[in-house]
Amino acid sequence: MRTVQKLKIEYGDFQTPIELADQVCKKLVELGVKPDIIIEPTCGIGNFIEAASSCFESAKKIVGIELSLDYFRQILEEEKFLHDQRIEIKCEDFFQVDWLSLIGESNEEILVLGNLPWVTNSQQGSIGGVNLPKKSNFQNHTGLDAITGKSNFDISEWMLIQFVQYLQKHNSYLAMLCKTSVSRKILNYIYSEKLNLAYCAVYKIDSKKYFDAAVEACLFFCKFDSNSQKYYCDVFNSLESLVCSRIGYSNNILVRDLITFKQVENLYNKQSKTKWRSGIKHDCASVMEFRKNNDYFINGLGESYELEETYIFPLIKGSSVAQNKTKATDRYMLVTQSLVGESTESIKYLAPKTWAYLEKHESLLNSRKSKIYQNSARFSIFGVGSYTFAPWKIAICGLYKKLSFRLVGQINQKPVIFDDTVYFLSFFDEESAYESYQLLTSSLAKDFYSSLIFWDEKRPIKSSILNSLNLAALAKLVL
């Protein structure tokens, strides 16, 4: 039996307050939107339908689609909807609706308006949810990217892409509340597919105030026509703001600050030889991570073991990197391989106590859900190589909203290991590490990275961005 809370998560059920729905519709009127047909694809209790009916006198037809029978019945009982003959409410599943037929082939102006579910496919999977589109790798990720997390997506992203496609042959508008990160993914999709786009804007909203949600959110507005391809987006701090910044494309990438990026564009190199790595992924902290008490290692289950130190290394978590606590640590990680795919059988002979420990906790390790562990060696990990064991590293945590690079050396004559929230460069001599650290902490490097990083994302600092800086070109300017 699915609980009320699970159902709320499954359907991303964040009902839009009538106050916000009114503000959105009035903003659209300010922008000159005069639709003939309005479609609200997940209308919930009907607040956007109500706001649209009062704001858009030009609309000949207002269609609301809602899956929840309870919400559907609630709308039908509302007297305010009964008196507007333009309103038609249907109880249907978004993923089963024939949207092309509903939108039609007419030349009438169409507005698709509303607030799509704020839920990801991984959240759905964690609760056994079924409110999903038919499975497909629509983002075209391949190999390990598809396995290790990049294939996770917001359901609203998939939905929005459908409407972008449906509206291409129309003079039309898309106005949706969504996560700000989703709006950029849709802009990226439009750009990558070279679709029509006449104008695009983002108006930030206070998601904590309106939805009690700790996420960056916005009104995402697109205007489509049959021949424009303007791939930029104006970003406003609120629905009331008249001042904006502009994000757009340079070197085929989406840039947060076009003006600054143009000043440091010569430092960009998509084929950079720099290789930032992520820390070790093991997905079983209770078994693989320890604190030390005298000669004993205490795992996350509170169990105490005397283990060989052959495969145990000092661990610095992403939070400690961000807080510049990298000189010492009381945490340790069991590193079972030196290369991805390597056999772990040698542990049995080189460190028999460690092997016995792993066998004792094999059921927990075998229950790890990620596909990267399937058909792999026993007790395998991911994100490990010769770079893991280099004595010097420059590290940064991908989760924090600040460019804080740390120069990290060995602890107790052993190389430091990071968790998978950390990105790092590895060095086998201190001088090279220090020179690179000077480059990365220079004002030019800060300007370069700041122009590319969207700080509102869950993991704003990405390896692809870190790798795009040409350190050799930077060295000629700084050193």
Side-chain angles (χ1 to χ4, degrees):
M1 177 70 70
R2 286 179 289 172
T3 66
V4 172
Q5 181 62 24
K6 282 187 176 181
L7 286 170
K8 183 178 178 68
I9 295 172
E10 178 175 351
Y11 293 97
D13 190 359
F14 291 87
Q15 293 297 308
T16 308
I18 187 63
E19 174 192 356
L20 179 57
D22 278 333
Q23 289 180 39
V24 167
C25 289
K26 287 175 181 176
K27 171 55 67 174
L28 297 177
V29 171
E30 286 180 22
L31 294 171
V33 178
K34 295 181 179 179
D36 299 302
I37 300 172
I38 299 173
I39 298 172
E40 218 287 45
T42 54
C43 67
I45 60 177
N47 283 341
F48 264 117
I49 298 293
E50 179 181 350
S53 67
S54 63
C55 288
F56 297 107
E57 296 180 359
S58 63
K60 304 171 186 175
K61 187 177 182 180
I62 303 174
V63 181
I65 307 295
E66 177 52 44
L67 175 60
S68 167
L69 188 59
D70 289 338
Y71 288 157
F72 175 69
R73 288 170 175 165
Q74 184 176 334
I75 292 176
L76 294 183
E77 293 172 359
E78 291 282 350
E79 187 174 344
K80 58 194 173 189
F81 296 121
L82 299 176
H83 295 302
D84 192 334
Q85 299 302 313
R86 301 173 300 167
I87 297 175
E88 179 183 359
I89 308 297
K90 301 181 179 183
C91 187
E92 296 186 36
D93 184 346
F94 180 101
F95 303 113
Q96 303 300 321
V97 174
D98 185 351
W99 293 107
L100 281 176
S101 297
L102 182 60
I103 291 172
E105 297 294 331
S106 71
N107 292 323
E108 294 179 302
E109 291 200 356
I110 298 167
L111 167 63
V112 178
L113 171 73
N115 180 8
L116 298 173
W118 293 22
V119 62
T120 66
N121 64 321
S122 65
Q123 287 173 312
Q124 291 276 35
S126 68
I127 62 169
V130 296
N131 186 39
L132 284 163
K134 184 177 179 181
K135 286 189 176 181
S136 67
N137 187 8
F138 77 96
Q139 296 167 318
N140 296 318
H141 289 311
T142 58
L144 289 172
D145 282 349
I147 294 173
T148 60
K150 286 190 178 180
S151 56
N152 186 32
F153 65 93
D154 285 85
I155 305 304
S156 61
E157 180 185 347
W158 187 93
M159 292 173 161
L160 284 166
I161 284 175
Q162 310 314 303
F163 281 117
V164 166
Q165 294 171 338
Y166 297 146
L167 296 174
Q168 281 295 295
K169 297 180 180 179
H170 297 271
N171 290 323
S172 56
Y173 307 91
L174 181 66
M176 283 286 170
L177 298 178
C178 64
K179 297 177 185 177
T180 309
S181 59
V182 169
S183 70
R184 289 195 293 271
K185 290 177 182 178
I186 301 305
L187 182 60
N188 266 322
Y189 175 80
I190 294 170
Y191 174 77
S192 65
E193 297 296 321
K194 297 298 180 282
L195 301 178
N196 293 329
L197 179 65
Y199 180 69
C200 179
V202 159
Y203 298 85
K204 297 179 182 179
I205 63 169
D206 188 342
S207 59
K208 185 65 178 176
K209 173 183 177 181
Y210 292 114
F211 301 106
D212 194 27
V215 62
E216 297 285 343
C218 66
L219 168 65
F220 179 50
F221 174 72
C222 293
K223 179 180 179 180
F224 302 102
D225 61 25
S226 58
N227 53 25
S228 297
Q229 293 183 320
K230 299 176 181 177
Y231 302 126
Y232 61 83
C233 180
D234 288 337
V235 180
F236 297 84
N237 285 329
S238 70
L239 287 167
E240 296 79 23
S241 177
L242 299 177
V243 180
C244 68
S245 59
R246 178 168 288 186
I247 65 175
Y249 289 86
S250 183
N251 286 288
N252 212 34
I253 58 171
L254 186 60
V255 176
R256 184 188 66 85
D257 182 346
L258 279 169
I259 295 174
T260 301
F261 184 77
K262 288 295 183 182
Q263 297 171 352
V264 292
E265 192 172 8
N266 60 315
L267 298 177
Y268 178 80
N269 184 359
K270 192 173 183 179
Q271 304 301 322
S272 174
K273 294 181 180 179
T274 306
K275 185 65 174 178
W276 287 84
R277 307 282 185 173
S278 61
I280 288 176
K281 179 179 177 66
H282 54 62
D283 293 306
C284 197
S286 62
V287 174
M288 304 296 276
E289 295 182 14
F290 306 88
R291 293 183 186 273
K292 196 174 184 183
N293 183 12
N294 296 322
D295 293 328
Y296 290 87
F297 291 96
I298 303 169
N299 65 17
L301 301 171
E303 302 167 342
S304 181
Y305 291 88
E306 187 178 7
L307 303 173
E308 303 92 346
E309 298 200 13
T310 311
Y311 294 91
I312 295 178
F313 294 84
L315 166 66
I316 294 180
K317 309 279 279 188
S319 57
S320 294
V321 170
Q323 296 165 23
N324 201 20
K325 298 177 180 178
T326 60
K327 303 300 182 185
T329 181
D330 63 345
R331 293 177 178 268
Y332 297 84
M333 182 188 293
L334 173 51
V335 182
T336 56
Q337 295 165 297
S338 57
L339 295 170
V340 171
E342 180 184 51
S343 170
T344 57
E345 293 296 315
S346 59
I347 300 175
K348 184 188 304 183
Y349 309 104
L350 298 177
K353 293 179 182 177
T354 301
W355 184 257
Y357 171 81
L358 288 167
E359 286 194 314
K360 180 176 180 179
H361 297 90
E362 186 165 17
S363 61
L364 286 173
L365 291 165
N366 288 345
S367 65
R368 294 177 292 180
K369 292 183 178 180
S370 178
K371 291 182 180 179
I372 62 173
Y373 305 112
Q374 295 178 8
N375 302 316
S376 298
R378 294 173 73 187
F379 321 128
S380 61
I381 56 178
F382 181 73
V384 63
S386 58
Y387 49 86
T388 305
F389 307 99
W392 290 94
K393 299 180 176 79
I394 297 173
I396 188 168
C397 182
L399 299 179
Y400 283 72
K401 302 179 186 299
K402 188 177 181 181
L403 281 169
S404 299
F405 295 99
R406 311 299 183 196
L407 181 60
V408 183
Q410 296 188 110
I411 294 177
N412 297 327
Q413 287 76 54
K414 296 196 79 170
V416 165
I417 305 298
F418 302 108
D419 65 20
D420 62 355
T421 68
V422 174
Y423 297 108
F424 67 93
L425 291 176
S426 57
F427 303 87
F428 286 90
D429 67 276
E430 183 179 2
E431 183 179 355
S432 297
Y434 182 72
E435 286 181 359
S436 294
Y437 178 72
Q438 284 185 302
L439 294 175
L440 289 166
T441 53
S442 67
S443 59
L444 275 176
K446 182 178 180 180
D447 288 345
F448 178 86
Y449 283 136
S450 295
S451 70
L452 293 173
I453 295 172
F454 290 93
W455 294 107
D456 58 358
E457 294 191 357
K458 183 177 180 180
R459 187 187 286 246
I461 299 171
K462 300 176 174 63
S463 60
S464 58
I465 293 176
L466 293 170
N467 283 325
S468 67
L469 175 59
N470 188 331
L471 285 176
L474 180 60
K476 293 178 181 179
L477 300 174
V478 174
L479 297 180

